[in-house]
Every structure is written in C-alpha cells, then in structure tokens.
Amino acid sequence: MAKKKVAFYTMGCKLNYAETSTIARMFSNSYYQHVSFKSYADIYIINSCSVTKKAELEFKYLVRSAMNKNAKSFIIAIGCYAQLNSKKVSSIFGVDLVLGSKEKFKIIDYINNEKLISKKHYPKIISDTEKKDFYFPSFSFGDRTRSFFKIQDGCDYKCSYCVIPMSRGVSRSESMENVLKNIKSLFKKGVKEIVLTGVNIGDYGKIYGKNNRLYTFFDLIQAIDKIEEKGRIRLSSIEPNLLKNEYIEFFSKSKHFVPHFHIPLQSGSNEILRKMRRRYNREIYQEKVKKIQCLIPDAYIGSDVIVGFPGETYKHFLETYNFLKKLEISSLHIFTYSPRPNTRSIIMQEHVSKTIQWKRNKILRNLSQKKYRFFCESQINKKKTVLFENSSVNKEYLYGYTENYIRTKIPINSYNLLLYRNTLQNVLIKEIDKDGVLIVEPINKL
Ligand code: SF4
C-alpha cells in the first residue's frame, strides 16, 4: 500500500514549532511519508496562531493553497486559532478536522481511523475548549539546526491585549527531571544548541498536576548549567519582571547559556504599560538592560514593542521612541496593535488609525535597523563561535548564528561545506555585507 503523504505547516511562536516537530515524529512510521507543505500531500496539518488578525488571514490562505495542490486532501487545523475559534475554523472551506489543544497530540489516533479521513462535506471538530490545562512534553529534533525545547506552557498573567491565556490555559511546567534528561539526550544526539521556549518561561516551576510551585526558573537554569554534555542553551523570551538580577549575574558566568536576551517591552510609556496591565514600568526595564550591559557587554538584547495601542497619543509614542533611542538594545520586533476578541483592550476607546499605526511602526522599524547595524559594527574584529546551519540557503555562503545571536556567513568551499554544517566553529568577525549579515573567517583553519 502506497504511503500517505503528510505535510506540516507551523505558524507563530517557537512553542508551536516544538509541538509540530513532536507531532510530526508520531508520523515517523511505514504508513506515512513526510513531504514539504509546498508539494502534493494526502494530509495537510496546519499548526495555527491567533495572536493577530493577520495570522488568521494567513491560515485561510494556507488552507486554500493546500486545496489547490490536492482538492481531495484531508486538512487538519491545530494550534491557538483552532482552540480559540473551532467553529469558525471548521467553517473555512477545505478544513476537515479541527483539533483542540489536548486532542492535537492524539492526532495519529484520529488519522488512523480510516472512516474519518475521507474528504467530508461537514468538517469534524474534536476540541474540548475547557480542557486546555494539561501538559505534553515537546521539542523539535531533526528538522532544524537548533532544537526548540518546551519547558513551560500557558500563562497566569492578564495582559489586556493578549489571547494566549485563553488558548493555552494556566501556567504549568515540565518536570525538572524530564527537562534535564531530554536536554542531555539531545546533546548526546548531536544537537549543538537548544532554545528553551514556552509562553512565560520565567514563570517556570508550577509542575503540571501539582498544586504548588516546586521550583523556580533559577533552580532550573542552575541545574541545566551543571549538565556535562557540551552544547549551547538559548532563552526564547523572558518577561522583564521575571528576569531577576541574580539570574543575570548567573548567566554572566554560565557554561551553557549564551549572551542573548529577548525581553518584551511593549511600550516606553508607563501610562500605556498600565493600560496593557504589564507587570513592570520602564524604569525596571531600563535597570535590567543596564545590568546586562554592565555584566555581559557583548550580549544581544532584543525587544518587542506594540504600536497603536488604544489611547496611545503622539506624546506616548514619543516617550517610547525616546526611551528606546537611549536604551542599549540590539533590535526590536515591532507589532501593530491587533484587537483580539474577549480581551480587555477590545472595549477600550480612542482607537489609533491604521495610517498612524503604520507610520509609527515604520519609524520604530527604522530605529531598529539603526540599532542592529550599530550592534553589528561593534562586533567587527571580535572572536566569536558560530553554529553553522544544516542547510545552506544559497550556493555561495554557509550561514549561522554567533552565541550573541548575530547572523553571519562564510564563503563556501567544498572543504568547509561538508565539515562546517551543524558544527560550532571559532571565527573572527571581518565585515558587514550590504544586507547586514556579518562575514566571518574561521580562526582554526581545518
Ligand atoms: S505575559 Fe502577557 S503577553 Fe505574554 S502570554 Fe502572558 S498574558 Fe500574553
């Protein structure tokens, strides 16, 4: 019997990638053949996101593109959009099965039910919207150079613009034993870098099924740093109020943890931060950045900012701009506020027009480019370690990230191509190319 072709597409965050990779491994048997989402498949599985309206539009586009490749294909929706709007998702032409947060990890059982996986006129929803507070260990392996490793899920915070607590439930974590065991085994299997991910990783410690908090994030990072096996550990993102000074001191002397911090700011105006129900003010944020710069001068600090939040006046925006301009950070992810159903901010008045949102987004993107360029220039003639990627994006160069998260490239020759892929190499940073990628030279000629 011919193998069924199955294709996956992941939208959104690193957590979604870790979960898609885990689900995809369930299809690693003789019945299924993994194919790219760009090609013909019998089954298409889309791991959706619901952080912005744009994400939901992209989901519809992906379903259409799957139907264009195979109108008889069986299309399955999982992820936050499927969990939050199962009925709406099921009404999208082409969708056959909508699985909620819990059911998505039992996908193979549903698929093996022959009767179910024939193109139907009425899609099936299997989603217990209430039951989202369970934990399913996940990590990506084999499909990327770095492994995205889930340590925590859900969130107990109530930021006024955010739907994630509604789609992913309360904060809960992987047991410390499991985290350490799996990290060791990934390093033994040749993974050179692991990215710790979750929804609110700084809140690690509320172990699923246990009422109280068993550990702190500090306990976890100290335990991970004792792991013998070689490899880099990168944090995905951490809330400013949860990045304690003692953590920064610890990271400055750490064996495994790399000097890269992604700390969401969202706004540089304390008034807007209060409306967002964020748990810090800009002074606390500044203190963290200064502490990092003082103890780990070469650290890469990325940040998230939302423009156009309801009530954001030009004065508030200027506060954000001037605050960021002075701050020693390396780059910004700029998001335009997207009103989400059932959030507190959806009922807020004083909406900012699309034109003004667009203008503010553009101004901060320009600022981010300047900051990134300045950071990269400060790295020239420095020695770093690059993890060269498995796959080279073009025939001329091999690409990879330094420990402080700078994108670099090295001219390909037959020698290094074979030997450098998925390896950590000591390099000297030579210059910046026109796209802001740093060209490096190997220090220890192989
Ligand atoms: S910390 Fe706030 S923005 Fe982040 S997931 Fe939790 S509620 Fe959403």
Side-chain angles (χ1 to χ4, degrees):
M1 194 170 78
K3 286 187 178 186
K4 281 216 178 298
K5 290 185 168 53
V6 59
F8 295 85
Y9 192 95
T10 305
M11 303 173 62
C13 61
K14 294 184 176 70
L15 188 49
N16 259 12
Y17 279 94
E19 293 182 341
T20 303
S21 180
T22 302
I23 291 168
R25 287 198 295 277
M26 298 170 184
F27 289 78
S28 305
N29 58 35
S30 57
Y31 299 108
Y32 300 100
Q33 178 199 351
H34 288 227
V35 295
S36 139
F37 195 87
K38 292 194 187 87
S39 51
Y40 174 99
D42 302 297
I43 303 163
Y44 291 97
I45 299 171
I46 305 169
N47 195 351
S48 65
C49 169
S50 196
V51 164
T52 62
K53 182 85 190 127
K54 202 159 144 248
E56 295 177 357
L57 295 174
E58 190 194 342
F59 175 82
K60 288 187 187 119
Y61 163 77
L62 290 166
V63 172
R64 272 200 311 280
S65 75
M67 286 292 279
N68 293 343
K69 280 167 274 187
N70 177 6
K72 290 202 179 71
S73 63
F74 193 79
I75 299 174
I76 305 174
I78 59 174
C80 293
Y81 187 27
Q83 172 67 25
L84 279 173
N85 309 75
S86 48
K87 282 211 177 52
K88 197 168 164 198
V89 170
S90 69
S91 68
I92 296 169
F93 177 70
V95 173
D96 297 289
L97 180 61
V98 180
L99 294 176
S101 299
K102 190 164 188 180
E103 291 75 22
K104 68 183 172 194
F105 293 107
K106 289 186 271 174
I107 194 169
I108 201 85
D109 307 339
Y110 297 113
I111 296 253
N112 290 344
N113 167 341
E114 272 309 313
K115 276 206 305 331
L116 182 72
I117 63 157
S118 57
K119 198 77 187 160
K120 280 189 168 36
H121 300 301
Y122 54 93
K124 200 158 181 52
I125 299 174
I126 306 174
S127 170
D128 185 334
T129 45
E130 286 324 303
K131 273 226 198 81
K132 48 185 181 282
D133 297 338
F134 65 96
Y135 192 91
F136 196 93
S138 299
F139 54 84
S140 67
F141 178 64
D143 37 19
R144 309 172 76 91
T145 307
R146 300 180 296 165
S147 169
F148 294 148
F149 192 99
K150 173 182 173 179
I151 58 168
Q152 183 270 352
D153 200 347
C155 186
D156 295 344
Y157 287 16
K158 298 276 178 285
C159 303
S160 60
Y161 53 83
C162 184
V163 289
I164 300 172
M166 291 176 243
S167 63
R168 285 193 168 268
V170 297
S171 180
R172 58 220 189 270
S173 309
E174 172 89 67
S175 73
M176 177 90 85
E177 298 69 40
N178 265 358
V179 171
L180 299 176
K181 188 184 73 191
N182 288 325
I183 288 181
K184 283 182 188 159
S185 94
L186 283 171
F187 281 156
K188 282 191 187 132
K189 285 186 186 139
V191 170
K192 301 287 183 300
E193 182 174 307
I194 292 173
V195 182
L196 301 185
T197 190
V199 172
N200 195 348
I201 66 171
D203 192 34
Y204 176 85
K206 295 173 186 163
I207 304 304
Y208 172 57
K210 305 265 187 291
N211 298 338
N212 51 0
R213 174 182 293 280
L214 291 187
Y215 314 103
T216 66
F217 183 65
F218 199 31
D219 298 333
L220 179 73
I221 56 176
Q222 291 177 92
I224 290 175
D225 217 39
K226 293 197 183 94
I227 289 177
E228 297 298 316
E229 287 73 12
K230 283 206 171 57
R232 303 200 300 198
I233 303 276
R234 195 177 295 278
L235 298 184
S236 54
S237 171
I238 186 165
E239 292 296 307
N241 52 299
L242 293 174
L243 181 58
K244 308 246 182 311
N245 287 350
E246 61 183 334
Y247 300 177
I248 300 172
E249 278 143 25
F250 175 81
F251 288 131
S252 69
K253 306 185 195 81
S254 154
K255 179 176 79 174
H256 283 294
F257 287 88
V258 292
H260 173 201
F261 300 88
H262 192 83
I263 317 168
L265 170 70
Q266 307 307 16
S267 176
S269 152
N270 285 343
E271 192 184 334
I272 297 293
L273 286 175
R274 275 192 297 281
K275 288 184 83 174
M276 289 176 165
R277 295 171 69 96
R278 300 291 285 162
R279 298 189 180 196
Y280 54 87
N281 57 26
R282 67 169 181 236
E283 288 73 22
I284 290 172
Y285 193 92
Q286 187 170 41
E287 183 221 321
K288 301 294 169 193
V289 170
K290 285 206 166 131
K291 181 90 180 171
I292 294 169
Q293 287 304 343
C294 166
L295 294 178
I296 320 171
D298 253 4
Y300 186 102
I301 304 175
S303 184
D304 296 338
V305 182
I306 295 175
V307 290
F309 188 79
E312 183 190 70
T313 63
Y314 183 60
K315 179 175 154 298
H316 294 131
F317 176 68
L318 268 188
E319 279 182 276
T320 298
Y321 181 82
N322 294 330
F323 178 70
L324 289 166
K325 200 158 181 249
K326 279 195 269 71
L327 216 54
E328 273 191 67
I329 52 174
S330 322
S331 73
L332 305 168
H333 283 177
I334 322 293
F335 299 87
T336 296
Y337 170 71
S338 176
R340 308 308 305 143
N342 308 319
T343 56
R344 279 185 177 78
S345 63
I346 196 120
I347 52 171
M348 290 179 186
Q349 301 309 312
E350 303 165 278
H351 286 278
V352 180
S353 75
K354 288 250 171 290
T355 321
I356 292 177
Q357 285 183 329
W358 184 85
K359 280 193 186 136
R360 291 176 184 173
N361 187 307
K362 192 159 184 307
I363 292 168
L364 290 187
R365 266 185 288 126
N366 290 345
L367 178 62
S368 179
Q369 278 160 12
K370 285 194 196 110
K371 287 205 168 271
Y372 184 69
R373 181 103 197 166
F374 180 81
F375 183 74
C376 289
E377 278 162 1
S378 74
Q379 301 298 303
I380 290 182
N381 294 329
K382 290 192 177 172
K383 293 178 180 162
K384 295 291 172 192
T385 305
V386 170
L387 172 55
F388 285 105
E389 285 153 12
N390 260 331
S391 53
S392 53
V393 283
N394 70 33
K395 297 257 169 302
E396 278 179 80
Y397 292 98
L398 204 52
Y399 289 75
Y401 283 94
T402 61
E403 61 270 43
N404 61 344
Y405 204 55
I406 298 178
R407 183 115 180 105
T408 70
K409 65 182 186 181
I410 191 166
I412 284 182
N413 61 41
S414 56
Y415 205 70
N416 64 19
L417 179 59
L418 293 173
L419 282 159
Y420 280 13
R421 277 198 173 141
N422 194 29
T423 67
L424 288 162
Q425 298 293 336
N426 298 325
V427 300
L428 180 66
I429 298 189
K430 299 296 288 175
E431 58 187 300
I432 304 183
D433 77 358
K434 60 179 178 22
D435 308 319
V437 179
L438 282 109
I439 299 175
V440 297
E441 188 184 273
I443 290 177
N444 317 321
K445 288 244 177 328
L446 291 174

